[in-house]
Amino acid sequence: MAENQAIGSPTKVLTVSELNRLARDVLERSFPLFWVSGEISNLTRAASGHWYFSLKDSGAQVRCVMFKNRNSYLGWIPKEGDKVEARAVVSFYEARGEFQLAIEFLQQAGLGALFEAYERLRLKLESEGLFDAAFKKPLHQYPRQIGIITSADAAALRDVLSTLKRRMPSIPVILYPTPVQGKGVANLIATAIDKASKRAECDVLILCRGGGSIEDLWQFNEEIVARAIHACQIPIISGVGHETDFTIADFVADYRAPTPTAAAELATPDRNNLLAGIMQIEQRISRQIRYLLENRSQQLDYLSRRLLSPLQQIKHKRDTLTQLQSRLKTASTTQLQQQQQRLIQLGQNLQHLNPQAVLERGYAYVENANGELVSSSKGLKTGQRVALNFKDGKTDAEILPASLFRS
């Protein structure tokens, strides 16, 4: 009520998150679980295991997501262009404001005849009153013995036995074995129900099997099974398939459980009105947690696609950097070689200018008494003491008159 008032208030300004949350609530409350058919396009199987695709017909299309916890139960993988029938609920991806369908089950088109047969039998049995609450038998609060009707090799049997042992190990269990899948199995299931009813050894019967396709569960949609359940004198709990699987057996049975494990919980002594309320709360919380997990999972898929683009850019930059490093190495090597050549040339030039090299050729240079280089005879006087520097050392000398050396 508060949300509706907020929407209608002229002064209320919604945030985008509030608007999208309200839109999701309205859509999900307005559309129950339904079937839709179309052609698959733009199919993407994400690394997370989720499937993203569109369902389209000649006039429109709608975005769809099938999460891993749903598509893992399929016995086939769809591809582009497949004509399919999908069981779905309307969903709204708040983070991006996108309308979409959350697919619970997917099958190839052409199974419509099975659903027509299912609906015809459902309407027929309903009109005869087989689904009426008046025929539903109450469960014993403290059953002395529990019967199970299923295959001895079924995984569902192990789940049920494990649950019964955990909740009330003192209650004896009787198995009425029967195949639960294959041609002609409906007759065998009905026979097992009749046997359990006539022997009257148990206070409650659990009819169960694991999940599967509509063909796998079809024996529980057969009229002979429905009438055997209706005629049984012992209360029957139907625990067939998964939470979203509904069979004719579910409608006729005295109680319907979403899974075989839940059927075992319903049959045990502490199952009462309070527990029924707790189960409703548990299922509501479970759906909300699943939505939050799936929502975050979609966000992760979206971010992973964005991350791929920066990774490609990083690779391009890395390649560019490698090229620049190679060019820098080549340029550095060339520059070093040029400088080494110049150093050699300068060394040679320096060697030519080295006074020691001049002395090697027989020359000498003159220093006065102060050790200063004498570069001109004008600065010398007769009798002045000087030093003559040769290549292998120096010696003292005295300046004599130049006339002494004239011929």
Side-chain angles (χ1 to χ4, degrees):
M1 179 65 70
E3 290 182 350
N4 292 336
Q5 290 175 349
I7 295 175
S9 172
T11 60
K12 173 63 175 179
V13 178
L14 298 176
T15 65
V16 174
S17 296
E18 290 173 336
L19 175 62
N20 286 355
R21 190 173 302 114
L22 290 171
R24 179 177 69 86
D25 291 342
V26 170
L27 286 170
E28 294 184 355
R29 285 198 305 266
S30 301
F31 288 87
L33 192 68
F34 63 91
W35 285 91
V36 60
S37 64
E39 177 183 326
I40 288 183
S41 66
N42 301 318
L43 174 63
T44 299
R45 290 191 288 271
S48 61
H50 306 327
W51 294 351
Y52 300 93
F53 56 91
S54 295
L55 279 182
K56 67 179 183 178
D57 57 20
S58 59
Q61 64 178 0
V62 62
R63 293 176 63 85
C64 303
V65 57
M66 191 171 192
F67 294 103
K68 181 181 180 180
N69 65 339
R70 295 298 180 188
N71 63 48
S72 59
Y73 290 109
L74 293 184
W76 63 288
I77 298 177
K79 61 181 183 300
E80 289 285 329
D82 278 353
K83 303 291 194 304
V84 297
E85 295 167 346
R87 186 163 57 193
V89 293
V90 169
S91 180
F92 191 81
Y93 184 29
E94 293 182 31
R96 299 181 63 181
E98 291 184 352
F99 170 84
Q100 64 181 9
L101 299 183
I103 306 301
E104 300 288 334
F105 180 75
L106 193 68
Q107 65 184 20
Q108 295 176 325
L111 298 179
L114 289 178
F115 290 104
E116 290 179 6
Y118 169 92
E119 190 63 16
R120 282 197 303 269
L121 180 59
R122 188 188 68 80
L123 293 174
K124 174 185 176 181
L125 298 181
E126 184 177 27
S127 66
E128 293 181 18
L130 269 68
F131 304 161
D132 290 353
F135 294 113
K136 306 297 183 184
K137 295 174 285 295
L139 293 178
H140 291 262
Q141 187 175 4
Y142 300 101
R144 293 166 297 177
Q145 197 156 249
I146 296 175
I148 304 174
I149 301 173
T150 192
S151 170
D153 300 324
L157 175 61
R158 294 192 294 271
D159 293 340
V160 169
L161 291 176
S162 175
T163 302
L164 293 177
K165 182 178 180 181
R166 185 184 74 249
R167 291 173 61 85
M168 190 61 65
S170 61
I171 299 179
V173 176
I174 295 180
L175 174 65
Y176 300 92
T178 175
V180 290
Q181 183 174 337
K183 187 175 182 180
V185 166
N187 291 325
L188 299 178
I189 295 175
T191 299
I193 295 173
D194 292 338
K195 180 188 294 186
S197 179
K198 290 175 182 178
R199 289 171 60 171
E201 302 167 303
C202 303
D203 293 323
V204 62
L205 298 174
I206 297 175
L207 177 64
C208 64
R209 69 147 287 160
S213 67
I214 187 172
E215 297 97 329
D216 295 336
L217 303 180
W218 190 251
Q219 55 272 7
F220 295 95
N221 291 322
E222 295 283 0
E223 185 172 358
I224 189 172
V225 174
R227 294 198 181 278
I229 294 173
H230 181 67
C232 184
Q233 299 302 308
I234 302 173
I236 292 181
I237 301 173
S238 173
V240 177
H242 299 291
E243 184 174 357
T244 57
D245 296 319
F246 280 87
T247 65
I248 297 295
D250 292 326
F251 295 112
V252 185
D254 299 289
Y255 292 87
R256 187 259 175 183
T259 64
T261 299
E265 294 174 348
L266 190 61
T268 45
D270 59 346
R271 182 65 72 165
N272 50 36
N273 291 335
L274 178 60
L275 182 58
I278 293 175
M279 284 189 62
Q280 292 177 0
I281 295 173
E282 181 184 4
Q283 291 174 353
R284 185 164 60 250
I285 293 175
S286 176
R287 285 193 297 269
Q288 183 63 24
I289 291 175
R290 187 181 70 183
Y291 166 77
L292 292 175
L293 291 175
E294 291 172 349
N295 185 277
R296 295 297 183 269
S297 184
Q298 281 191 280
Q299 289 179 334
L300 182 60
D301 289 336
Y302 173 70
L303 292 174
S304 66
R305 289 194 295 270
R306 292 184 58 189
L307 179 60
L308 181 60
S309 177
L311 288 177
Q312 292 173 341
Q313 295 180 8
I314 291 172
K315 182 180 181 302
H316 176 72
K317 297 297 185 184
R318 186 183 295 116
D319 292 342
T320 302
L321 179 59
T322 301
Q323 294 176 0
L324 291 176
Q325 288 175 335
S326 177
R327 291 170 59 186
L328 178 60
K329 182 178 180 180
T330 301
S332 299
T333 301
T334 302
Q335 183 70 15
L336 180 60
Q337 292 175 346
Q338 292 175 349
Q339 293 300 326
Q340 288 175 340
Q341 187 64 32
R342 178 172 173 79
L343 180 62
I344 292 172
Q345 184 177 0
L346 291 175
Q348 293 174 346
N349 294 340
L350 182 61
Q351 183 64 25
H352 292 155
L353 298 175
N354 187 355
Q356 187 65 32
V358 176
L359 296 180
E360 292 288 340
R361 296 199 297 271
Y363 292 93
Y365 65 89
V366 182
E367 293 179 339
N368 60 23
N370 296 326
E372 296 172 343
L373 185 65
V374 178
S375 59
S376 174
S377 61
K378 295 179 180 181
L380 297 175
K381 298 178 181 180
T382 300
Q384 182 178 347
R385 301 295 296 182
V386 295
L388 298 179
N389 290 275
F390 299 94
K391 68 174 184 177
D392 54 355
K394 63 169 64 177
T395 185
D396 292 335
E398 180 181 348
I399 301 300
L400 299 176
S403 60
L404 294 178
F405 299 96
R406 295 175 183 163
S407 56

